[in-house]
Amino acid sequence: MNPQIVLLCPPGRLDALMARQLGIALEQHLSQGATRLIIDFKHTRYISSHGLRILLKTHKHARANGGGLKLCGLTPRLLEIFGMAGLDRVFEIFETVEQAEQAFAL
């Protein structure tokens, strides 16, 4: 993993409480100057609308500062949720962390 890239792996369900905790972690990284973020969803079974809003906010902030937010490891159910919300066209989604990391090098 590139040390200039922050990797987060949220566990279980990103309901309102867990999404809030993820949001706090993301805000801390952004406030410390991180702009290249990857979230690996391999251990995540569900994401709420609150979680989706946090991802959008983080994505906009990172892009405005020359970076981005890339997602990977989404289960078929999570891919369906992102697709229904139209967010599969907003976020870059990869199968693996390595692919997401390589996308930052392009």
Side-chain angles (χ1 to χ4, degrees), residues 30-103:
L30 291 169
S31 70
Q32 294 170 358
T35 59
R36 298 175 354 149
L37 307 151
I38 297 173
I39 299 181
D40 185 353
F41 286 98
K42 68 182 173 189
H43 298 298
T44 308
R45 297 184 321 272
Y46 169 80
I47 186 167
S48 68
S49 60
H50 186 71
L52 295 174
R53 283 191 300 275
I54 286 170
L55 295 180
L56 279 170
K57 178 182 172 187
T58 301
H59 175 66
K60 289 178 184 177
H61 186 274
R63 285 188 57 134
N65 289 291
L69 172 64
K70 301 188 187 315
L71 312 178
C72 64
L74 278 76
T75 65
R77 178 65 183 138
L78 290 180
L79 284 170
E80 182 181 354
I81 291 169
F82 276 79
M84 286 188 300
L87 297 176
D88 56 340
R89 294 185 303 273
V90 174
F91 293 104
E92 291 184 74
I93 299 173
F94 300 90
E95 288 186 28
T96 67
V97 171
E98 292 77 18
Q99 290 171 336
E101 186 177 278
Q102 289 172 356

